[in-house]
Amino acid sequence: MKLYREKELCCGCGACMDACPVDAVRMTEDGEGFFYPQADAAACIRCGRCEAVCPMGREEAAPDNRYFGARAREGRVRLASSSGGVFPVLAEYVLRRRGAVFGAAFGEGMEAAHREAWSLEELEGLKTTKYIQSRMDGVYRRVRALLEEGRQVLFCGTPCQAHALRRFLGGPCDGLITADLVCFGVPSPGIWADYVKFLERRHGGALTAFSFRDKRARDNGHTRAYVCAGKEYAGDLGGDPYCGMFFGGYIIRPSCHACRYCTTDRGSDFTLGDFWGIGKVRPEADDGMGNSLVMLHTEKARGVWAEVREELDWFSCEEKDLLQPRLMGPTPAARGRGGFMALRRVLPAAALFPLFECARRAAGLLRRTGGGER
């Protein structure tokens, strides 16, 4: 039994599964590699809790926004982060108060899933960007249990995940701090799993680490690096076939192409992202090591900000200074997305990625020689 009418109306947050009191809901993978909720009709008691927690189409109170550019003062924090290192600063603030931090991390088989951190060591895996939709199995229930114990919790995720958590909890909670991300869209976990297998077959060993936003070249995180079979490989982010599929709009979840969170007005406490174009606002800050945009939406966020800003180099700015495409509208789907996904259903992973690379090189050659559409 489906819990959604169309795939564009399900963001895959998984809150409905955690909300079910009889565990009748499971997240199942479709032919595009995305997870959708399915209910066991025989076990369902028709309580309506799955529908109540769904964030899709639900509005929140209007925020009172403040806008900033920021980066961590400590070089180690900034180097280990995808942008300016504001998330680790917020996380360490919570850890010092014996709270828990939830964010996406790589787990077994390099699957991306949300997990909790209670120490600086555990926090390391949560810091960097993962261009994969993370699993949330059990996370909503776990956050609720910790809040009921009086613990402080920082949750960082996509806007729909953060909104789903607030709905699951029945609204904002005193001990909860939510930070959502400026999101390009979530790519297919199934296609990511295909890519892991592809790399492991190519290099003859296990993939043990993957950084989508490595900073070694001081290029604002446009280097991709991974470790496979004990050897590291690094190269241009745009040249990676999986990232090419992602940024090209081929492997993004259908609901993301109609995302209503692509705005500065959100219900989380914080919004974090890369401060693209900071060179036009503060050129002296653009040193190639990344800067964060920070939006404060609530009184709680302003209180936390007052306590952590001494650990940051920061400046206030206007909304227009940090606007970027994903704060003004969703990522459009590639024109060939349907055909690409049809190929994914029939081709082995070993063939899909080389085929995409050949197509991309051919398209580039056409552009360079003046061919293609006029």
Side-chain angles (χ1 to χ4, degrees), residues 32-373:
E32 295 185 347
F34 293 104
F35 289 89
Y36 290 86
Q38 298 287 333
D40 181 345
C44 178
I45 59 173
R46 309 303 194 271
C47 66
R49 294 185 188 179
C50 56
E51 296 179 356
V53 300
C54 180
M56 300 298 285
R58 306 290 174 79
E59 299 295 331
E60 294 189 286
D64 182 13
N65 296 333
R66 304 288 190 277
Y67 306 101
F68 301 90
R71 65 189 189 191
R73 286 184 175 173
E74 289 194 37
R76 65 167 182 87
V77 175
R78 197 173 171 213
L79 182 63
S81 304
S82 296
S83 52
V86 174
F87 166 68
V89 170
L90 293 175
E92 291 185 26
Y93 166 84
V94 172
L95 293 179
R96 288 194 297 269
R97 286 155 180 77
R98 299 184 179 180
V101 179
F102 286 79
F106 286 121
E108 185 176 354
M110 295 298 290
E111 180 186 47
H114 263 64
R115 73 181 189 202
E116 61 189 278
W118 292 88
S119 67
L120 295 179
E121 292 74 21
E122 292 174 339
L123 182 62
E124 287 301 313
L126 278 58
K127 286 183 178 180
T128 56
T129 295
K130 285 87 179 172
Y131 291 138
I132 315 135
Q133 184 167 26
S134 60
R135 297 294 298 266
M136 291 281 289
D137 306 22
V139 170
Y140 301 97
R141 294 180 180 181
R142 177 61 175 159
V143 170
R144 180 176 61 191
L146 291 174
L147 292 171
E148 289 174 349
E149 293 174 6
R151 297 282 192 172
Q152 190 170 45
V153 173
L154 168 64
F155 176 89
C156 184
T158 62
C160 51
Q161 288 173 334
H163 188 185
L165 176 60
R166 290 189 294 275
R167 291 201 62 81
F168 182 88
L169 297 171
C173 298
D174 289 341
L176 176 67
I177 302 169
T178 54
D180 65 32
L181 306 170
V182 179
C183 183
F184 189 83
V186 291
S188 165
I191 292 178
W192 168 251
D194 292 342
Y195 192 46
V196 171
K197 294 174 185 175
F198 170 74
L199 292 177
E200 292 181 338
R201 187 178 296 111
R202 168 181 281 183
H203 299 299
L207 182 70
T208 55
F210 201 104
S211 174
F212 288 98
R213 302 285 305 283
D214 189 274
K215 292 184 176 180
R216 69 186 66 193
R218 300 182 72 88
D219 59 356
N220 287 310
H222 285 92
T223 295
R224 178 272 291 135
Y226 62 85
V227 177
C228 201
K231 184 177 179 180
E232 186 181 50
Y233 301 85
D236 177 59
L237 177 68
D240 183 271
Y242 174 83
C243 294
M245 295 172 181
F246 172 45
F247 290 115
Y250 290 93
I251 61 173
I252 293 175
R253 191 177 184 95
S255 62
C256 297
H257 298 306
C259 179
R260 65 183 185 81
Y261 298 102
C262 295
T263 173
T264 56
D265 292 333
R266 306 186 180 191
S268 293
D269 298 302
F270 291 89
T271 292
L272 307 176
D274 287 282
F275 201 129
W276 300 120
I278 195 171
K280 298 178 182 179
V281 182
R282 291 289 177 101
E284 69 277 10
D286 189 10
D287 60 357
M289 291 298 289
N291 289 273
S292 296
L293 67 81
V294 183
M295 291 187 274
L296 314 183
H297 302 296
T298 64
E299 185 64 35
K300 181 189 297 181
R302 291 191 284 277
V304 173
W305 181 254
E307 296 196 50
V308 303
R309 62 189 180 188
E310 294 304 314
E311 302 173 48
L312 303 164
D313 291 322
W314 60 276
F315 60 92
S316 60
C317 60
E318 301 295 326
E319 180 186 47
K320 61 181 177 61
D321 296 326
L322 49 70
L323 277 181
Q324 52 186 265
R326 297 296 73 82
L327 291 174
M328 296 183 286
T331 301
R335 289 172 59 187
R337 184 189 185 282
F340 174 87
M341 285 299 186
L343 283 175
R344 190 260 172 176
R345 291 182 176 93
V346 298
L347 288 179
L352 182 65
F353 298 99
L355 181 62
F356 180 82
E357 283 295 272
C358 288
R360 185 161 62 170
R361 284 196 294 269
L365 180 62
L366 280 173
R367 285 194 296 270
R368 289 195 295 273
T369 58
E373 296 181 358

